[in-house]
Amino acid sequence: MPATVVLGAQWGDEGKGKIVDRIAEQATWVARFQGGNNAGHTVVIGDQVLKFHLLPSGITRKECNLVLGDGMVIDPWVLNTELTGWQDSTGEDPRGERLYISERAHIILPFHRYLDSLDKKIGTTGRGIGPTYADKTNRIGLRFGDLSEVMGDDDWMEATTARMNSTLSSAGSEDTITVSGLKADVEWIWNAYSTSIQNTGLMLDNALKLGEHIILEGAQGCLLDIDQGTFPYVTSSITCRGNASHGAGIHPGHVEEVIGITKAYITRVGHGAMPTELDDADGEHLGTVGHEFGTTTGRKRRCGWFDAVVMRHANRINGFTGLALTKLDVLGGLDEIKICVAYELDGKEILEMPSSATALERCKPIYISMPGFPSFSLEEWLGIAKKANDEGIGFSTLPSAAQQYIKKVEALVGVPCTSIGVGPDRDATIDAV
Protein backbone atom coordinates (compact mmCIF):
# COMPACT_ATOMS: atom_id res chain seq x y z
CA MET A 1 0.00 0.00 0.00
CA PRO A 2 1.15 3.59 -0.58
CA ALA A 3 1.90 6.21 2.03
CA THR A 4 -0.69 8.72 3.22
CA VAL A 5 0.40 12.23 4.23
CA VAL A 6 -1.57 14.13 6.88
CA LEU A 7 -0.84 17.87 6.96
CA GLY A 8 -2.09 21.00 8.65
CA ALA A 9 -3.54 23.34 6.03
CA GLN A 10 -3.70 26.52 8.14
CA TRP A 11 -1.48 27.89 10.95
CA GLY A 12 -1.42 24.62 12.89
CA ASP A 13 -3.74 23.35 15.65
CA GLU A 14 -6.21 22.01 13.07
CA GLY A 15 -6.80 18.63 14.72
CA LYS A 16 -4.18 16.45 13.04
CA GLY A 17 -3.76 14.20 16.07
CA LYS A 18 -7.39 13.13 16.05
CA ILE A 19 -7.35 12.34 12.33
CA VAL A 20 -4.07 10.41 12.48
CA ASP A 21 -5.29 8.42 15.48
CA ARG A 22 -8.44 7.56 13.58
CA ILE A 23 -6.94 6.47 10.26
CA ALA A 24 -4.02 4.72 12.00
CA GLU A 25 -6.43 1.84 12.59
CA GLN A 26 -5.67 0.80 9.00
CA ALA A 27 -1.91 1.53 9.18
CA THR A 28 1.12 -0.39 10.39
CA TRP A 29 3.44 2.63 10.68
CA VAL A 30 2.99 6.27 11.70
CA ALA A 31 6.02 8.50 11.15
CA ARG A 32 6.63 12.13 12.12
CA PHE A 33 8.79 13.80 9.49
CA GLN A 34 9.56 17.30 10.82
CA GLY A 35 9.30 19.64 13.78
CA GLY A 36 9.85 18.89 17.43
CA ASN A 37 8.01 19.37 20.67
CA ASN A 38 6.64 22.66 19.37
CA ALA A 39 3.87 20.40 18.07
CA GLY A 40 0.85 19.53 20.16
CA HIS A 41 -1.43 16.67 19.11
CA THR A 42 -4.51 15.81 21.17
CA VAL A 43 -6.42 12.53 20.99
CA VAL A 44 -9.69 12.04 22.88
CA ILE A 45 -10.94 8.51 23.52
CA GLY A 46 -14.08 8.64 25.64
CA ASP A 47 -13.09 10.27 28.93
CA GLN A 48 -9.37 9.90 28.25
CA VAL A 49 -7.52 12.94 26.85
CA LEU A 50 -4.02 12.22 25.52
CA LYS A 51 -1.64 15.05 24.61
CA PHE A 52 1.49 14.35 22.59
CA HIS A 53 4.30 16.66 21.52
CA LEU A 54 6.79 14.20 20.05
CA LEU A 55 5.20 10.76 20.07
CA PRO A 56 3.27 10.07 16.84
CA SER A 57 -0.49 10.05 17.33
CA GLY A 58 -0.64 6.43 16.18
CA ILE A 59 0.75 5.33 19.54
CA THR A 60 -2.81 4.57 20.71
CA ARG A 61 -2.99 1.78 18.10
CA LYS A 62 -0.92 -1.05 19.57
CA GLU A 63 -0.36 -2.63 16.16
CA CYS A 64 1.31 0.55 14.84
CA ASN A 65 5.05 1.00 14.68
CA LEU A 66 6.19 4.56 15.39
CA VAL A 67 8.98 6.59 13.82
CA LEU A 68 10.54 9.90 14.80
CA GLY A 69 11.94 10.71 11.38
CA ASP A 70 15.06 12.14 9.78
CA GLY A 71 13.69 15.67 9.51
CA MET A 72 12.79 16.04 13.19
CA VAL A 73 14.55 17.82 16.03
CA ILE A 74 13.97 15.94 19.27
CA ASP A 75 14.25 16.96 22.90
CA PRO A 76 15.25 13.71 24.65
CA TRP A 77 14.02 14.89 28.05
CA VAL A 78 10.57 15.83 26.76
CA LEU A 79 10.37 12.51 24.93
CA ASN A 80 11.31 10.69 28.13
CA THR A 81 8.53 12.49 30.02
CA GLU A 82 6.00 11.44 27.37
CA LEU A 83 7.23 7.86 27.40
CA THR A 84 7.14 7.72 31.19
CA GLY A 85 3.56 8.99 31.17
CA TRP A 86 2.60 6.45 28.53
CA GLN A 87 4.23 3.62 30.47
CA ASP A 88 2.54 4.68 33.69
CA SER A 89 -0.90 4.61 32.05
CA THR A 90 -0.50 1.55 29.82
CA GLY A 91 2.45 -0.44 31.16
CA GLU A 92 4.19 -0.28 27.78
CA ASP A 93 7.67 1.06 27.03
CA PRO A 94 7.74 1.06 23.21
CA ARG A 95 11.44 1.96 22.86
CA GLY A 96 13.11 -0.48 20.53
CA GLU A 97 9.93 -2.55 20.34
CA ARG A 98 7.75 -0.34 18.14
CA LEU A 99 9.18 3.16 18.64
CA TYR A 100 12.23 3.99 16.53
CA ILE A 101 14.26 7.18 16.35
CA SER A 102 16.04 8.12 13.15
CA GLU A 103 19.82 8.15 13.39
CA ARG A 104 19.63 11.30 11.25
CA ALA A 105 17.28 13.23 13.56
CA HIS A 106 18.91 16.15 15.39
CA ILE A 107 19.02 16.53 19.16
CA ILE A 108 17.73 19.53 21.12
CA LEU A 109 20.16 20.24 23.97
CA PRO A 110 19.84 22.68 26.90
CA PHE A 111 21.91 25.18 24.89
CA HIS A 112 19.21 25.35 22.25
CA ARG A 113 16.47 25.98 24.80
CA TYR A 114 18.52 28.73 26.47
CA LEU A 115 19.05 30.45 23.13
CA ASP A 116 15.42 30.13 22.04
CA SER A 117 14.16 31.62 25.31
CA LEU A 118 15.62 34.97 24.21
CA ASP A 119 13.13 35.32 21.33
CA LYS A 120 10.90 38.37 21.62
CA LYS A 121 9.95 38.91 17.97
CA ILE A 122 8.55 35.78 16.36
CA GLY A 123 6.60 34.35 19.28
CA THR A 124 8.19 30.89 19.25
CA THR A 125 7.39 28.21 21.79
CA GLY A 126 10.86 28.67 23.33
CA ARG A 127 11.49 24.92 23.10
CA GLY A 128 14.79 25.18 21.23
CA ILE A 129 13.46 24.12 17.84
CA GLY A 130 14.76 27.07 15.79
CA PRO A 131 18.30 27.06 17.20
CA THR A 132 18.54 23.29 16.64
CA TYR A 133 17.50 23.64 13.01
CA ALA A 134 20.01 26.51 12.70
CA ASP A 135 22.79 24.23 13.95
CA LYS A 136 21.62 21.60 11.48
CA THR A 137 21.83 24.08 8.60
CA ASN A 138 25.22 25.29 9.82
CA ARG A 139 26.37 21.64 9.89
CA ILE A 140 27.33 21.74 13.55
CA GLY A 141 24.34 19.93 15.09
CA LEU A 142 24.35 16.67 16.99
CA ARG A 143 22.37 13.75 15.58
CA PHE A 144 21.25 10.60 17.36
CA GLY A 145 23.46 8.55 15.06
CA ASP A 146 26.51 10.55 16.16
CA LEU A 147 26.11 9.96 19.90
CA SER A 148 28.31 6.87 20.10
CA GLU A 149 31.01 8.66 18.11
CA VAL A 150 31.27 11.78 20.29
CA MET A 151 30.81 10.25 23.74
CA GLY A 152 34.51 9.54 24.19
CA ASP A 153 35.76 12.50 22.18
CA ASP A 154 37.08 15.05 24.69
CA ASP A 155 38.14 17.45 21.92
CA TRP A 156 34.58 17.52 20.56
CA MET A 157 33.16 18.10 24.05
CA GLU A 158 35.48 21.03 24.76
CA ALA A 159 35.11 22.65 21.33
CA THR A 160 31.31 22.30 21.38
CA THR A 161 31.06 23.72 24.90
CA ALA A 162 33.23 26.71 23.95
CA ARG A 163 31.13 27.37 20.83
CA MET A 164 27.86 27.17 22.74
CA ASN A 165 29.03 29.51 25.49
CA SER A 166 30.34 32.03 22.96
CA THR A 167 26.98 32.00 21.17
CA LEU A 168 25.01 32.39 24.41
CA SER A 169 27.20 35.25 25.58
CA SER A 170 26.92 37.06 22.24
CA ALA A 171 23.14 36.71 22.37
CA GLY A 172 22.97 38.22 25.85
CA SER A 173 22.18 35.04 27.77
CA GLU A 174 23.47 34.49 31.29
CA ASP A 175 23.20 30.72 30.93
CA THR A 176 26.34 28.64 30.38
CA ILE A 177 27.27 25.10 29.38
CA THR A 178 29.97 23.02 31.09
CA VAL A 179 32.04 20.26 29.55
CA SER A 180 31.01 17.86 32.30
CA GLY A 181 27.35 18.77 31.87
CA LEU A 182 27.44 18.27 28.10
CA LYS A 183 29.23 14.95 28.50
CA ALA A 184 26.68 13.75 31.08
CA ASP A 185 23.81 14.81 28.79
CA VAL A 186 25.22 12.94 25.81
CA GLU A 187 25.78 9.79 27.86
CA TRP A 188 22.27 9.93 29.34
CA ILE A 189 20.69 10.33 25.91
CA TRP A 190 22.63 7.35 24.58
CA ASN A 191 21.72 5.16 27.52
CA ALA A 192 18.04 6.15 27.27
CA TYR A 193 17.59 5.65 23.53
CA SER A 194 20.35 3.47 22.07
CA THR A 195 17.92 0.58 21.54
CA SER A 196 15.61 2.84 19.52
CA ILE A 197 18.12 4.53 17.20
CA GLN A 198 17.79 3.02 13.73
CA ASN A 199 18.01 3.71 10.01
CA THR A 200 14.28 4.46 10.00
CA GLY A 201 14.14 5.49 6.34
CA LEU A 202 15.27 2.00 5.39
CA MET A 203 12.70 0.48 7.76
CA LEU A 204 9.89 2.49 6.17
CA ASP A 205 11.07 1.70 2.64
CA ASN A 206 11.11 -2.01 3.41
CA ALA A 207 7.63 -1.80 4.95
CA LEU A 208 6.29 -0.16 1.79
CA LYS A 209 7.88 -2.84 -0.37
CA LEU A 210 6.03 -5.40 1.73
CA GLY A 211 2.74 -3.63 1.01
CA GLU A 212 2.29 -2.07 4.44
CA HIS A 213 0.43 1.20 4.94
CA ILE A 214 2.38 4.18 6.33
CA ILE A 215 1.04 7.50 7.60
CA LEU A 216 3.39 10.47 7.42
CA GLU A 217 2.27 12.83 10.18
CA GLY A 218 3.06 16.53 9.91
CA ALA A 219 3.35 19.10 12.66
CA GLN A 220 2.31 22.78 12.61
CA GLY A 221 0.64 23.84 9.33
CA CYS A 222 1.29 25.04 5.78
CA LEU A 223 1.19 28.73 6.74
CA LEU A 224 4.00 28.10 9.23
CA ASP A 225 6.29 26.56 6.61
CA ILE A 226 9.72 28.25 6.50
CA ASP A 227 9.48 28.68 2.70
CA GLN A 228 5.77 28.81 1.92
CA GLY A 229 4.37 30.32 5.12
CA THR A 230 3.90 33.85 6.41
CA PHE A 231 7.62 34.55 6.82
CA PRO A 232 9.16 35.56 9.20
CA TYR A 233 6.35 34.50 11.55
CA VAL A 234 6.83 30.83 10.80
CA THR A 235 8.41 27.72 12.24
CA SER A 236 11.92 26.54 11.35
CA SER A 237 11.10 23.52 9.19
CA ILE A 238 9.35 22.62 5.95
CA THR A 239 5.87 21.57 7.02
CA CYS A 240 4.43 20.76 3.59
CA ARG A 241 4.02 17.73 1.35
CA GLY A 242 7.40 18.14 -0.35
CA ASN A 243 9.15 17.36 2.93
CA ALA A 244 6.89 14.52 4.05
CA SER A 245 8.66 11.73 2.20
CA HIS A 246 12.07 13.45 2.33
CA GLY A 247 11.88 13.99 6.08
CA ALA A 248 10.89 10.36 6.55
CA GLY A 249 13.70 9.02 4.36
CA ILE A 250 11.62 7.61 1.49
CA HIS A 251 10.97 8.84 -2.05
CA PRO A 252 7.88 10.90 -3.02
CA GLY A 253 6.59 8.27 -5.43
CA HIS A 254 5.33 6.31 -2.41
CA VAL A 255 2.76 9.03 -1.58
CA GLU A 256 -0.71 8.64 -3.03
CA GLU A 257 -3.06 10.42 -0.63
CA VAL A 258 -2.53 13.83 0.96
CA ILE A 259 -5.11 14.82 3.56
CA GLY A 260 -5.24 18.50 4.44
CA ILE A 261 -6.59 19.16 7.92
CA THR A 262 -8.51 22.41 8.31
CA LYS A 263 -10.83 23.79 10.92
CA ALA A 264 -14.24 25.04 9.83
CA TYR A 265 -12.85 28.43 10.89
CA ILE A 266 -9.23 29.45 11.44
CA THR A 267 -6.90 30.02 14.38
CA ARG A 268 -3.36 31.18 14.94
CA VAL A 269 -0.93 31.30 17.88
CA GLY A 270 1.97 33.72 18.01
CA HIS A 271 2.72 36.87 16.07
CA GLY A 272 1.93 37.75 12.47
CA ALA A 273 -1.07 38.88 10.45
CA MET A 274 -4.28 36.87 10.18
CA PRO A 275 -6.68 38.79 7.91
CA THR A 276 -9.92 37.20 9.16
CA GLU A 277 -9.09 37.55 12.87
CA LEU A 278 -12.15 38.46 14.94
CA ASP A 279 -12.16 40.69 17.98
CA ASP A 280 -15.89 40.56 18.64
CA ALA A 281 -18.64 38.31 19.95
CA ASP A 282 -18.23 35.84 17.08
CA GLY A 283 -14.52 35.53 17.82
CA GLU A 284 -15.30 35.01 21.48
CA HIS A 285 -17.80 32.30 20.52
CA LEU A 286 -15.20 30.45 18.43
CA GLY A 287 -12.56 30.65 21.15
CA THR A 288 -14.87 29.67 23.99
CA VAL A 289 -16.87 26.90 22.31
CA GLY A 290 -13.76 25.60 20.52
CA HIS A 291 -11.61 25.65 23.69
CA GLU A 292 -8.93 27.41 21.71
CA PHE A 293 -5.83 27.17 23.85
CA GLY A 294 -2.53 25.78 22.56
CA THR A 295 -1.73 22.14 23.45
CA THR A 296 1.98 22.93 23.70
CA THR A 297 2.04 26.40 25.28
CA GLY A 298 -1.44 26.91 26.71
CA ARG A 299 -1.56 30.25 24.90
CA LYS A 300 -4.95 31.56 23.80
CA ARG A 301 -5.42 31.09 20.08
CA ARG A 302 -6.53 33.95 17.86
CA CYS A 303 -9.76 33.02 16.04
CA GLY A 304 -11.24 34.10 12.72
CA TRP A 305 -13.55 33.12 9.88
CA PHE A 306 -12.55 30.44 7.38
CA ASP A 307 -10.09 31.87 4.86
CA ALA A 308 -10.36 30.41 1.36
CA VAL A 309 -7.36 32.48 0.21
CA VAL A 310 -5.19 30.69 2.76
CA MET A 311 -6.64 27.34 1.78
CA ARG A 312 -6.11 27.83 -1.96
CA HIS A 313 -2.48 28.66 -1.22
CA ALA A 314 -2.15 25.54 0.95
CA ASN A 315 -3.71 23.38 -1.76
CA ARG A 316 -1.42 24.74 -4.46
CA ILE A 317 1.62 23.86 -2.36
CA ASN A 318 0.42 20.45 -1.19
CA GLY A 319 -2.00 19.08 -3.78
CA PHE A 320 -4.54 17.78 -1.29
CA THR A 321 -6.53 14.76 -2.38
CA GLY A 322 -9.04 15.38 0.39
CA LEU A 323 -9.87 17.77 3.22
CA ALA A 324 -10.63 16.75 6.78
CA LEU A 325 -12.81 19.60 8.01
CA THR A 326 -12.65 19.70 11.80
CA LYS A 327 -14.65 21.50 14.49
CA LEU A 328 -17.75 22.13 12.40
CA ASP A 329 -19.71 21.81 15.65
CA VAL A 330 -18.07 24.99 16.98
CA LEU A 331 -19.96 27.04 14.36
CA GLY A 332 -23.27 25.76 15.72
CA GLY A 333 -25.40 28.49 17.29
CA LEU A 334 -24.15 31.35 15.09
CA ASP A 335 -26.85 33.15 13.11
CA GLU A 336 -24.49 34.02 10.27
CA ILE A 337 -21.21 32.42 9.18
CA LYS A 338 -18.73 34.22 6.95
CA ILE A 339 -16.09 32.91 4.56
CA CYS A 340 -13.24 35.04 3.24
CA VAL A 341 -12.99 34.63 -0.56
CA ALA A 342 -10.49 37.38 -1.41
CA TYR A 343 -8.49 40.25 0.08
CA GLU A 344 -8.44 43.96 -0.53
CA LEU A 345 -4.84 45.21 -0.59
CA ASP A 346 -4.22 48.94 -1.03
CA GLY A 347 -7.58 49.38 -2.76
CA LYS A 348 -7.24 46.39 -5.11
CA GLU A 349 -8.90 43.00 -4.86
CA ILE A 350 -6.47 40.08 -4.82
CA LEU A 351 -7.16 36.36 -4.81
CA GLU A 352 -3.77 35.10 -3.59
CA MET A 353 -1.74 35.72 -0.46
CA PRO A 354 1.05 38.29 -0.71
CA SER A 355 4.48 36.97 0.27
CA SER A 356 5.28 40.06 2.34
CA ALA A 357 4.27 39.97 6.00
CA THR A 358 3.75 43.73 6.04
CA ALA A 359 1.54 43.54 2.95
CA LEU A 360 -0.50 40.77 4.57
CA GLU A 361 -1.05 43.06 7.56
CA ARG A 362 -2.71 45.59 5.20
CA CYS A 363 -5.02 42.99 3.66
CA LYS A 364 -8.72 43.34 4.43
CA PRO A 365 -10.94 40.27 4.04
CA ILE A 366 -13.71 40.17 1.46
CA TYR A 367 -16.50 37.96 2.75
CA ILE A 368 -19.50 36.03 1.59
CA SER A 369 -22.15 35.11 4.16
CA MET A 370 -23.71 31.73 4.85
CA PRO A 371 -26.70 30.91 7.05
CA GLY A 372 -25.96 29.53 10.49
CA PHE A 373 -27.17 26.25 11.95
CA PRO A 374 -28.21 25.08 15.43
CA SER A 375 -25.83 24.14 18.21
CA PHE A 376 -25.96 20.71 19.84
CA SER A 377 -24.33 19.19 22.89
CA LEU A 378 -21.17 17.12 22.37
CA GLU A 379 -23.22 14.00 23.08
CA GLU A 380 -25.74 14.97 20.40
CA TRP A 381 -23.00 15.69 17.85
CA LEU A 382 -21.41 12.32 18.68
CA GLY A 383 -24.77 10.64 18.13
CA ILE A 384 -25.12 12.36 14.75
CA ALA A 385 -21.68 11.12 13.72
CA LYS A 386 -22.32 7.56 14.84
CA LYS A 387 -25.66 7.44 13.02
CA ALA A 388 -24.03 8.79 9.84
CA ASN A 389 -21.25 6.21 9.87
CA ASP A 390 -23.29 3.25 11.09
CA GLU A 391 -25.93 3.80 8.40
CA GLY A 392 -23.45 4.88 5.72
CA ILE A 393 -25.30 8.11 4.95
CA GLY A 394 -22.45 10.58 5.41
CA PHE A 395 -22.98 14.31 5.64
CA SER A 396 -26.74 14.07 5.02
CA THR A 397 -27.25 13.69 8.78
CA LEU A 398 -26.08 17.28 9.29
CA PRO A 399 -28.38 20.32 9.30
CA SER A 400 -29.01 21.60 5.75
CA ALA A 401 -27.16 24.86 6.42
CA ALA A 402 -24.11 22.90 7.60
CA GLN A 403 -24.23 20.83 4.41
CA GLN A 404 -24.36 24.05 2.37
CA TYR A 405 -21.32 25.33 4.24
CA ILE A 406 -19.34 22.17 3.48
CA LYS A 407 -20.23 22.34 -0.23
CA LYS A 408 -19.16 25.99 -0.38
CA VAL A 409 -15.80 25.20 1.23
CA GLU A 410 -15.24 22.37 -1.25
CA ALA A 411 -16.08 24.63 -4.19
CA LEU A 412 -13.86 27.50 -3.03
CA VAL A 413 -10.83 25.31 -2.28
CA GLY A 414 -11.37 22.85 -5.12
CA VAL A 415 -10.93 19.76 -2.94
CA PRO A 416 -13.61 17.37 -1.63
CA CYS A 417 -14.11 16.90 2.10
CA THR A 418 -13.38 13.31 3.06
CA SER A 419 -14.44 13.71 6.68
CA ILE A 420 -16.16 16.21 8.97
CA GLY A 421 -15.27 16.58 12.63
CA VAL A 422 -18.15 17.43 14.96
CA GLY A 423 -16.51 17.03 18.36
CA PRO A 424 -13.24 16.11 20.09
CA ASP A 425 -13.94 12.40 20.52
CA ARG A 426 -12.27 9.90 18.20
CA ASP A 427 -15.70 8.80 16.95
CA ALA A 428 -17.14 12.31 16.48
CA THR A 429 -16.10 12.30 12.84
CA ILE A 430 -18.37 11.76 9.87
CA ASP A 431 -16.90 10.00 6.83
CA ALA A 432 -17.90 10.97 3.31
CA VAL A 433 -19.83 8.42 1.28
Side-chain angles (χ1 to χ4, degrees), residues 120-269:
K120 297 294 186 292
K121 177 183 177 183
I122 304 301
T124 72
T125 60
R127 303 296 201 266
I129 280 77
T132 308
Y133 274 117
D135 276 4
K136 174 181 178 176
T137 301
N138 288 328
R139 300 179 292 277
I140 54 176
L142 177 64
R143 304 180 304 173
F144 279 89
D146 301 325
L147 287 168
S148 61
E149 302 294 332
V150 304
M151 274 196 302
D153 189 338
D154 291 339
D155 291 340
W156 182 90
M157 293 289 177
E158 291 177 6
T160 301
T161 300
R163 172 181 60 79
M164 288 178 172
N165 284 330
S166 176
T167 301
L168 288 170
S169 177
S170 297
S173 174
E174 297 181 357
D175 294 299
T176 58
I177 306 299
T178 64
V179 173
S180 60
L182 178 59
K183 185 175 182 179
D185 286 344
V186 168
E187 290 176 350
W188 177 85
I189 296 167
W190 173 254
N191 290 330
Y193 299 108
S194 59
T195 60
S196 299
I197 301 168
Q198 300 287 341
N199 183 342
T200 55
L202 181 61
M203 296 174 80
L204 293 172
D205 186 66
N206 287 336
L208 287 163
K209 288 176 180 176
L210 292 171
E212 298 182 38
H213 184 201
I214 291 174
I215 296 171
L216 303 178
E217 178 182 27
Q220 291 85 46
C222 176
L223 274 292
L224 293 175
D225 185 281
I226 188 69
D227 291 325
Q228 305 297 340
T230 49
F231 188 88
Y233 304 104
V234 292
T235 193
S236 304
S237 60
I238 298 173
T239 64
C240 292
R241 174 182 185 167
N243 191 38
S245 56
H246 187 77
I250 56 176
H251 68 72
H254 287 301
V255 175
E256 184 170 284
E257 286 189 279
V258 183
I259 301 174
I261 316 298
T262 172
K263 286 177 182 170
Y265 48 102
I266 200 165
T267 62
R268 183 171 191 175
V269 172

Side-chain angles (χ1 to χ4, degrees), residues 409-429:
V409 166
E410 291 177 324
L412 289 169
V413 181
V415 181
C417 287
T418 55
S419 68
I420 304 295
V422 292
D425 192 274
R426 170 191 279 176
D427 294 324
T429 301

Side-chain angles (χ1 to χ4, degrees), residues 7-9 241 258-261 311 314-315 318-323 413 415:
L7 300 170
R241 174 182 185 167
V258 183
I259 301 174
I261 316 298
M311 287 301 301
N315 185 42
N318 294 290
F320 299 129
T321 58
L323 295 179
V413 181
V415 181

Side-chain angles (χ1 to χ4, degrees), residues 27-106:
T28 49
W29 295 80
V30 176
R32 276 276 306 274
F33 62 84
Q34 51 75 224
N37 57 303
N38 54 341
H41 296 170
T42 302
V43 177
V44 180
I45 307 172
D47 295 331
Q48 189 176 21
V49 179
L50 305 172
K51 296 181 183 293
F52 305 119
H53 303 281
L54 287 168
L55 290 172
S57 301
I59 193 171
T60 60
R61 306 290 186 176
K62 293 297 179 67
E63 67 279 7
C64 265
N65 294 299
L66 311 167
V67 166
L68 302 182
D70 304 355
M72 289 189 68
V73 293
I74 300 168
D75 187 318
W77 293 273
V78 172
L79 180 57
N80 187 65
T81 298
E82 288 192 34
L83 286 167
T84 299
W86 179 256
Q87 188 171 10
D88 288 346
S89 62
T90 67
E92 181 198 17
D93 183 352
R95 279 177 281 200
E97 298 294 331
R98 66 182 183 106
L99 172 67
Y100 305 100
I101 301 171
S102 168
E103 58 192 9
R104 297 177 182 271
H106 279 248

